[in-house]
Amino acid sequence: MNIYEYTTSVTTAAGSTSTATLRVIGGLMQQLLVRANTSTTVFRVNLVDDNSITRMNYGFHTGELNDVGSRFPMVNAYTINITNASPDDTFRVLVAVKE
């Protein structure tokens, strides 16, 4: 069993930003972690595949989104969009995929 992690840091401007994962050959997402630098920042997150189809849509979160229960099948690259962030903030993003 191999676990691959994509991790980055992004900053919102006008309440939104996005980041794209590396290409995933195939596996199950084990964790999606999006953590704001400030614990009171409110934001939304969605996960979009390489065909521009929204595959996961998370509601509003404050400070952190930590999805460890979805076991989402992944193949190719995905875009993680952070929207409606108030105030603008810096976010740490981690996607862990089990091969």
Side-chain angles (χ1 to χ4, degrees), residues 6-53:
Y6 168 77
T7 184
T8 191
S9 179
V10 293
T11 302
T12 54
S16 65
T17 190
S18 65
T19 183
T21 67
L22 300 175
R23 186 172 179 273
V24 177
I25 296 192
L28 291 176
M29 180 179 76
Q30 300 294 300
Q31 181 179 23
L32 172 62
L33 174 67
V34 179
R35 180 179 294 149
N37 193 40
T38 307
S39 64
T40 57
T41 300
V42 177
F43 60 95
R44 297 180 72 168
V45 176
N46 67 33
L47 186 67
V48 179
D49 69 15
D50 63 338
N51 292 313
S52 299
I53 298 171

